[in-house]
């Protein structure tokens, strides 16, 4: 039995990454929504839990942890079956390596109204790598679903919802289909859609 609480905001890709990891691991958690639009992360009660006031934040019987990937690793290690976060150090190293970065945060919260060219290029370079990693594989770190897939799906679904063109990345498209089996997939897509709508509203057309 777990006594987990996840402080979560469904529009946030890192937060959805932790949410999807928990779902895939099959561990239940109380979900507490921290609405970043209402600046709830700056409330006195949340600052007491996480002085760096970010989501996702996990609480496990008084133990507090933030950073989505650290959360996924901790929960997988404590509650998960081996395939999601392999014990074999080389397999685990590959899972740890498959990371991706987000670029829409300044548009949503920083008053920025267009995606800068260098960020677009960087993201397309990252997607090219991801597409190569996926060549001949069902999932990003091998043939089994791992917590690297849940983290990356949360990010990719956000950029797709913003309207990113991934037509050149056929392996990513195939992998996205494979990801439909992940528990929590639907909730993730709904959060991503809300994120995409919010970003598109702030973008200059
Ligand atoms: N690297 C962190 C990023 C966490 C993060 O930036 N969270 C944002 C939402 S996407 C947040 O909580 N921002 C509110 C704040 O920092 O006050 C992770 O992967 O968890």
């Amino acid at each position: 039995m777990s006594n987990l609480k996840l402080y979560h905001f469904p529009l946030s890709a890192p937060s959805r990454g932790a949410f999807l990891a928990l779902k895939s691991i099959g561990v239940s958690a109380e979900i507490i929504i921290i609405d970043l639009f209402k600046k709830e992360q700056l409330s006195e009660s949340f600052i007491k839990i996480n002085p760096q006031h970010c989501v996702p934040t996990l609480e496990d019987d008084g133990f507090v942890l933030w950073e989505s990937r650290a959360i996924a690793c901790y929960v997988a290690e404590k509650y998960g079956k081996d395939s999601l976060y392999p014990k074999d150090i080389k397999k685990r190293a590959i899972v740890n390596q498959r990371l991706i970065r987000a670029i829409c945060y300044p548009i949503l919260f920083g008053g920025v109204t267009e995606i800068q060219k260098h960020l677009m290029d960087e993201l397309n370079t990252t997607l090219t790598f991801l597409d190569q990693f996926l060549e001949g594989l069902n999932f990003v770190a091998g043939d089994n679903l791992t917590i690297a897939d849940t983290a990356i799906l949360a990010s990719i679904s956000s950029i797709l919802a913003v309207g990113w063109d991934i037509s050149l990345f056929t392996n990513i498209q195939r992998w996205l289909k494979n990801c439909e089996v992940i528990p929590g997939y639907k909730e993730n897509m709904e959060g991503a859609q809300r994120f995409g709508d919010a970003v598109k509203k702030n973008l200059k057309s």
Side-chain angles (χ1 to χ4, degrees), residues 12-14 36 41-42 52-56 66-69 105 109:
S12 151
L36 300 186
Q41 80 275 24
L42 301 179
Q52 289 192 307
H53 50 79
C54 52
V55 292
W66 53 96
E67 283 297 325
S68 55
R69 291 173 181 89
Y105 197 74
F109 297 103

Side-chain angles (χ1 to χ4, degrees), residues 1-2 11 16 22 36 62 73 85 98-99 101 109 155-156 161 173 186:
M1 260 301 275
S2 73
L11 277 72
R16 278 184 282 108
L22 260 68
L36 300 186
C73 294
Y85 193 42
R98 305 293 201 238
L99 302 173
R101 74 177 73 175
F109 297 103
S155 301
I156 297 273
Q173 292 174 45
K186 195 168 153 279

Side-chain angles (χ1 to χ4, degrees), residues 6-203:
L6 182 70
Y7 296 89
H8 175 54
F9 186 49
L11 277 72
S12 151
S15 201
R16 278 184 282 108
F19 175 84
L20 276 173
L22 260 68
K23 286 274 185 190
S24 309
I25 292 159
V27 66
S28 61
E30 183 188 348
I31 304 293
I32 300 161
I33 301 293
I34 300 292
D35 189 331
L36 300 186
F37 288 142
K38 294 185 185 152
K39 302 227 179 292
E40 286 177 355
Q41 80 275 24
L42 301 179
S43 70
E44 206 178 311
S45 57
F46 189 61
I47 295 272
K48 263 194 201 143
I49 297 165
N50 174 354
Q52 289 192 307
H53 50 79
C54 52
V55 292
T57 296
L58 182 83
E59 223 182 315
D60 184 7
D61 248 336
F63 171 70
V64 178
L65 185 65
W66 53 96
E67 283 297 325
S68 55
R69 291 173 181 89
I71 291 171
C73 294
Y74 170 79
V75 177
E77 186 75 40
K78 185 163 175 190
Y79 301 100
K81 58 177 194 286
D82 189 61
S83 64
L84 280 167
Y85 193 42
K87 294 256 186 294
D88 175 277
I89 57 166
K90 287 188 180 149
K91 286 188 185 153
R92 179 166 288 201
I94 295 294
V95 173
N96 289 338
Q97 186 213 45
R98 305 293 201 238
L99 302 173
I100 199 163
R101 74 177 73 175
I103 62 167
C104 295
Y105 197 74
I107 297 164
L108 208 46
F109 297 103
V112 174
T113 56
E114 59 191 347
I115 302 175
Q116 292 171 17
K117 167 93 174 66
H118 76 277
L119 291 177
M120 291 177 83
D121 291 347
E122 264 179 38
L123 181 57
N124 280 327
T125 303
T126 308
L127 291 173
T128 304
F129 278 119
L130 179 61
D131 202 69
Q132 284 166 9
F133 294 151
L134 283 162
E135 185 67 40
L137 296 179
N138 288 331
F139 290 102
V140 296
D143 267 327
N144 294 315
L145 176 76
T146 69
I147 54 175
D149 295 286
T150 50
I152 294 175
L153 176 63
S155 301
I156 297 273
S157 52
S158 292
I159 61 162
L160 283 180
V162 174
W164 211 270
D165 178 11
I166 60 156
S167 55
L168 288 178
F169 304 115
T170 52
N171 289 326
I172 295 180
Q173 292 174 45
R174 179 176 49 78
W175 165 77
L176 280 167
K177 278 245 146 258
N178 294 341
C179 285
E180 288 175 12
V181 301
I182 299 176
Y185 176 87
K186 195 168 153 279
E187 290 102 310
N188 172 65
M189 287 313 202
E190 285 164 3
Q193 199 52 58
R194 287 173 60 198
F195 169 85
D197 293 346
V199 169
K200 282 190 280 193
K201 214 170 63 190
N202 289 4
L203 275 176

